[in-house]
Structure formats: C-alpha cells, structure tokens
Amino acid sequence: LNRLNHCGGGELGTSDHVQPTRHNLEQVLAVSLSDVTSTRHRIRTSLHRMTAMCRSRLTVVVSGLLLTVRTASASYCSAHTNVCYPGTASDRNSVVAEKAAAIPSSVLDGSWEPIRRALLAACLLEDNTTAHAGNGYTGHCFNDFNHVDCCTMLGNRAHHENHGQVEGIAYGNPLGAGIQRASLDGGEEASGSWCTCQLGAASDPPRDVCHTQFNSAIGFKLVWCPGATTSPFSTFAIVSDDGELLGSGTPSSLQDAPSLRERKSNWRVVDGSKYASACGRLFTSGSS
C-alpha cells in the first residue's frame, strides 16, 4: 500500500491522494494489459508461421516417403507375391504361367478359336460356351478387350466381391459360382481361375479385378500389340504378372478374333504399364 501511495505522490491515509493513486494504478494496469495483448498477438503470429513451416516440411518429407515406398513396393511385390496379394494360389499361378509359356507357336500362329481354347486350358478353365453367364460360361474369355487376365485365386477368395473398388466394374461383381463351375483342378486344393477384367491394370500397383477384388496376382495376361503400321494389332503377347514375355502369336486369320476396335482398346488399357513393355520386346516401334 505504501508503494501505491508513493505512486500518487502523497502520504497514505490522506483522502486528497487516494484518488490519484487509483488513477495511476488504472493507467499502469491499462499499459500492462496492452503489453500482454501485444505479446499474445506476437506469440500467435509466430506459432502460425512455425506451424505453416512445419506443415510444409512435413509434406515434403511425407511425399518423399510415399515415393520411396511406392518405388520399393513395386519391386518388393514382384519378389513377395503372397505378401502383397495373399489371395494368390501360388502353385496354381506357377502351373498356369508354365502352361501358357508352353503353348506351341504352331497353335499361337494358327486360327483364333484354337488359340483361345489353348489359353483357356493354360488358365485351367473349361471351354464352356453353353452355360449361362455367371454359371461357368467362358465364351467371353480372351475374346474381348477386357476379360484377358488369367487370375488364380485361393478357394476362400473366389466369392470375394468388388464393392466398388475397381472403377468401371459392377459394384458387387459376384463371380464365385462361375469360378467354381469352370475351374479345372491344378495347384492348391479348391483353388480357382477366372478370366477377370483388366481395367485398372495400368496403375502401379495394378488396380484391376484380380489384384483388387481377389487380392491375387495373375498367371498371365493377353495383350494385343500395336506392332507394324502395315498390320497393327495383329500380334498378341502373353505376359506374366511381372511383365515378363511368356509367348506371342500372330493368328493366321483374324476373322473370328476380337474386332480391331476391341484389340485397340485392349492396348489402351495397359499402354505405359509393365504389361505393355512386353510388346516392345516384339517390335521396335508401334503406335496406338
């Protein structure tokens, strides 16, 4: 109280000096509050700047990590298929790839329908053109731009549905019944095969039906290559999940083969992907 009284310039207890003391105290408090407000503003500004800087640096770090993970994952999944795609029937997958690579050139360069039947057999699928769609019918397999992936999945994965994961595909896309009816024995017990849709195959990693809906690697894929300008899209490549060229063929007649429009569309889906690179090994140049 003495200190406050001295601020007013008088002695404690005199009424003439009490009011100036209160006035000066209010001034002191007002200045102090102003300093606090100014300090709080500076602190907030500094915090906002620091937060923005940290977010910027964090974005750069995270982006770099994602790029590293994405690059690493592609090579890792090639060597660890069952880790990345646990729905793969590995033994069946190997059998299918070996069968596809063993199809003789005399067949692959012949008429289209025997070629298609050979691809079905390599995929361990029945050639069934009489069953209803969804009940084992395989007449569409390798016969359009899209149903060209030989997918080999474990038995407990056959009834997995899409649930909108793959763009351009039916939301549910139930294939289990057809897989069970059309699959031939081979590899793991109760494992199955299907000619799944390749839409999304150009993504890295692939976002097609086999890799996404069934969490499985493909045994092989059929890719129609641009080839020579004089006769484009008249040669196909049989490609493994890793993009390895397993075989190729040039049908003697394309009369019963997928139309030119379908063959071009087939290429466009994979253009720029690891699957398209196999065509580069067959031809030195080509255009879509």
Side-chain angles (χ1 to χ4, degrees):
L1 291 174
N2 284 330
R3 291 176 183 175
L4 291 176
N5 187 57
H6 288 309
C7 288
E11 295 297 328
L12 182 64
T14 58
S15 60
D16 292 339
H17 294 91
V18 172
Q19 187 62 33
T21 299
R22 290 177 179 174
H23 175 71
N24 290 343
L25 178 58
E26 289 174 356
Q27 287 184 326
V28 171
L29 290 176
V31 171
S32 299
L33 288 174
S34 176
D35 289 342
V36 169
T37 302
S38 177
T39 302
R40 182 190 300 171
H41 176 72
R42 289 197 299 271
I43 291 173
R44 284 180 177 176
T45 302
S46 298
L47 286 174
H48 283 311
R49 289 176 180 173
M50 291 173 64
T51 301
M53 185 182 299
C54 289
R55 284 177 178 171
S56 177
R57 292 179 178 177
L58 182 61
T59 299
V60 172
V61 171
V62 171
S63 297
L65 287 173
L66 288 176
L67 179 61
T68 302
V69 169
R70 181 182 176 186
T71 303
S73 64
S75 58
Y76 180 84
C77 288
S78 295
H80 303 83
T81 300
N82 282 352
V83 176
C84 294
Y85 305 110
T88 306
S90 299
D91 292 344
R92 189 180 188 89
N93 191 276
S94 298
V95 170
V96 159
E98 291 172 3
K99 283 181 173 290
I103 301 174
S105 57
S106 58
V107 173
L108 297 176
D109 293 331
S111 300
W112 172 247
E113 196 52 37
I115 295 173
R116 197 184 74 84
R117 287 197 294 267
L119 293 172
L120 282 170
C123 192
L124 295 176
L125 279 172
E126 287 185 351
D127 176 24
N128 190 331
T129 57
T130 60
H132 292 294
N135 286 289
Y137 175 80
T138 57
H140 64 301
C141 295
F142 309 107
N143 231 359
D144 60 15
F145 83 97
N146 197 20
H147 297 88
V148 293
D149 286 352
C150 174
C151 185
T152 56
M153 75 289 293
L154 294 171
N156 61 359
R157 298 285 176 142
H159 290 277
H160 276 210
E161 296 191 2
N162 179 33
H163 297 304
Q165 298 176 89
V166 182
E167 293 185 13
I169 303 300
Y171 182 83
N173 197 37
L175 301 173
I179 292 171
Q180 288 182 326
R181 288 182 174 86
S183 294
L184 302 173
D185 291 338
E188 291 85 346
E189 184 178 356
S191 61
S193 299
W194 196 246
C195 54
T196 52
C197 297
Q198 69 160 346
L199 289 175
S203 299
D204 183 16
R207 295 288 303 169
D208 52 49
V209 169
C210 189
H211 292 90
T212 305
Q213 180 173 334
F214 296 111
N215 301 124
S216 172
I218 61 172
F220 66 84
K221 171 194 288 289
L222 180 72
V223 178
W224 287 95
C225 303
T229 56
T230 54
S231 184
F233 301 101
S234 59
T235 295
F236 60 82
I238 303 174
V239 189
S240 74
D241 193 74
D242 294 331
E244 177 187 355
L245 180 64
L246 299 177
S248 64
T250 304
S252 57
S253 173
L254 293 171
Q255 183 176 355
D256 298 325
S259 67
L260 178 59
R261 179 179 179 180
E262 293 284 327
R263 302 197 303 272
K264 285 183 176 180
S265 295
N266 168 272
W267 168 256
R268 291 192 186 102
V269 173
V270 298
D271 191 7
S273 71
K274 60 182 178 181
Y275 304 117
S277 63
C279 287
R281 303 186 189 103
L282 294 175
F283 303 96
T284 56
S285 65
S287 62
S288 56

